[in-house]
Amino acid sequence: MVTGDVQRVGRDGAGAETAHPGPSRRAALGLDALNFFLADVRDGLGPYLAIYLLAVRGPEQGWTEATVGFVMTIAGLTGLLAQTPAGALIDSSRNKPAIVIAGALAVTLTCLSLPFLSNFYLVAGSQSLAAMAGAIFPPALSGITLGLVGPKAFARRIGRNEAFNHLGNAVSAAIAAGTAVIFGPIVVFWLMAVLAVLSIGAMLAVPRREIDDTLARGLSHDAAHHEQPSGLKMLLSSRPLLIFALTCFLFHLSNAAMLPTTGQLLTYVVGKDQATSLIALCIVAAQCVMVPMAIMVGAKTDAWGRKPIFLVAFAVLALRGALYPLSNDPFWLFAVQCLDGVGAGIFGALFPVVVADLTRGTGRFNVSQGAVATAQGLGAAFSASIAGVIIVSAGYSAAFLTLSAIGAAGFLLYLFAMPETGAAGTKEPAVPPPGSATVSP
C-alpha cells in the first residue's frame, strides 16, 4: 500500500527542493476504491454492446456484425477526438475530482438510455457521448495518482491502480455473468449505474487538498508557469513518443475487436443468454490474470526495464489471435481469452509509466497521454469495423488471423524502433522541457 512514508519532492518559493509526505491512508484507500468501482464505468458497455444489439435487437431490426462494428467505430472515433483535450483539461484543472464525477455520471446516463433507442444514428450518438466522457478517466486517474505520490513512487502505484481496476472489472463481470441468466443482457445497464454511484463516493473520499496539481502534470514547481504546447505539437517533436504512439495504435487495432468478436461468435454458438454469461466469465478470467500482471509490472519494471515487458504483451496478443480459429468450442474460446489478461494487463500498467518517462519534468504528462491515447483510440475504433467487415466477407477465422498479424507487426516495430525508457535506458525526457529547443528525431 502507498502510505504516508512516500515522499513527494516539490520546490519552495526560493526554488529549493522540499519534501512532502505522500498520500494519507484515507487518500490511498480512496484511490484503491476509485480504481475498483470505476473499472466498469470507464469502459462503458464494451463487449456487452455487441451482444445486446445482436441478441436483443438482431438482424430483423437491421443489426448485424457489420452495423455493430460501425457503431463502435463511430463512438471510438468521437472518443479519440476528445483524448488530447481531455488531457489538457486535466493538466490545467484545479478540481480533478469534480471532472471524474461528471464523467462517471455522463457515461452512465448515456448507457442507460440505450434500451430506449432503436435508431442507428441515435445509438451511435449515445455511445459517442459515452466515449467522449470516458476519455476523461485515464488522464484524470494518472494525474491524480502522480499528484498524490510523486514521480518516484509512480510506477509502483500505477501497478496497484491497475490491479484494483482489473479486480473491479472481474467482480462486476462475475455479477453480470450470474445475473444475466435470470434477467438477460439488460442487467449490465443497471450494474453500471450502481458502480457509478459507488465510484463517486470513492472519489469524494480522496481529499482534494492532497493532490498536488503541479506534480500531477509532471512539472517541477519552479517551471509551473511555463506555457504548455498543444498535444499534437508535443507528439510530433519527439521521435520516441511518436513511435510509442504508433505501437499503441497497432496494439489496439489488434486487441480491441478480439473480445467483441468472441462475444458475437458465442452468440451463434450457444445463444444470446448463455453468450452474455460466457463473455462475462471470459472477462472475469482475463481480469483475474491482469491483477497479478499489473502488480508484477509495478514491482519489476524499474529493475527489468519497460521494453522487454512490453514485448511480452505484444507476443501474447499475436499468439491469442492465432489460437482463436483452432476451435469454436466455448471452453476453448474461454481458455484463449484468458491470455488477454497477460497482454492487456501489461499494457495498462506500463502505458502511463512510459509516457511519464518520455515527458518527465516537462509539465506535459497528461496532454501527452491524451495525444498518445488518440492514436490508441484510433486503432481501437478501426479494429471493430475491420473485424466486422472481414467476418461478413470471409468468416470469423479470417478476422482473428488478421488481428493476430497486426499484433505481430506491433511486436516487430517495438522491438526494432522503440528505445528503452526506464532504468535500463535514458533518464532524460524525450519531450523537450518548456523553453528549450525541440529535440530532433
Side-chain angles (χ1 to χ4, degrees), residues 20 39 363:
H20 299 278

Side-chain angles (χ1 to χ4, degrees), residues 120-182:
F120 173 87
Y121 298 102
L122 292 177
V123 172
S126 70
Q127 294 310 296
S128 295
L129 290 175
M132 291 174 65
I136 289 293
F137 300 129
L141 289 173
S142 295
I144 289 171
T145 301
L146 186 57
L148 286 172
V149 307
K152 289 186 177 180
F154 183 64
R156 184 175 293 273
R157 178 65 234 199
I158 282 293
R160 185 178 179 88
N161 282 3
E162 286 298 306
F164 274 95
N165 172 64
H166 299 316
L167 186 61
N169 268 322
V171 171
S172 62
I175 295 173
T179 55
V181 176
I182 302 173

Side-chain angles (χ1 to χ4, degrees), residues 223-248:
H225 301 294
H226 285 288
E227 182 181 358
Q228 180 175 306
S230 69
L232 180 61
K233 178 181 178 181
M234 181 246 346
L235 179 64
L236 296 177
S237 70
S238 167
R239 183 174 182 270
L241 195 61
L242 194 59
I243 293 171
F244 185 63
L246 182 55
T247 60
C248 290

Side-chain angles (χ1 to χ4, degrees), residues 225-428:
H225 301 294
H226 285 288
E227 182 181 358
Q228 180 175 306
S230 69
L232 180 61
K233 178 181 178 181
M234 181 246 346
L235 179 64
L236 296 177
S237 70
S238 167
R239 183 174 182 270
L241 195 61
L242 194 59
I243 293 171
F244 185 63
L246 182 55
T247 60
C248 290
F249 168 83
L250 292 173
F251 189 96
H252 281 77
L253 185 64
S254 172
N255 184 66
M258 286 193 186
L259 182 57
T261 300
T262 304
Q264 294 170 36
L265 180 58
L266 285 172
T267 300
Y268 290 109
V269 173
V270 300
K272 64 178 184 180
D273 293 332
Q274 289 79 7
T276 301
S277 295
L278 280 175
I279 205 67
L281 288 174
C282 285
I283 295 173
V284 170
Q287 297 292 335
C288 287
V289 175
M290 290 178 195
V291 172
M293 292 305 302
I295 294 174
M296 180 276 294
V297 170
K300 299 297 184 181
T301 184
D302 286 334
W304 294 351
R306 323 308 194 208
K307 186 169 182 174
I309 302 177
F310 234 121
L311 287 173
V312 171
F314 271 107
V316 173
L317 173 63
L319 175 64
R320 178 169 148 236
L323 290 177
Y324 275 122
L326 297 182
S327 175
N328 284 348
D329 183 84
F331 293 101
W332 173 257
L333 296 174
F334 173 84
V336 174
Q337 176 55 29
C338 291
L339 292 175
D340 185 33
V342 179
I346 290 173
F347 185 95
L350 272 185
F351 172 78
V353 176
V354 173
V355 175
D357 290 340
L358 296 174
T359 60
R360 186 180 300 119
T362 68
R364 305 169 190 174
F365 171 54
N366 291 301
V367 75
S368 298
Q369 282 197 99
V372 178
T374 299
Q376 171 182 312
L378 188 64
F382 282 114
S383 182
S385 285
I386 289 173
V389 170
I390 295 176
I391 290 170
V392 172
S393 60
Y396 282 93
S397 294
F400 282 125
L401 291 175
T402 300
L403 297 174
S404 174
I406 295 170
F411 174 91
L412 294 175
L413 178 64
Y414 207 99
L415 176 64
F416 293 110
M418 184 67 191
E420 172 61 63
T421 64
T426 178
K427 298 278 188 176
E428 297 301 319

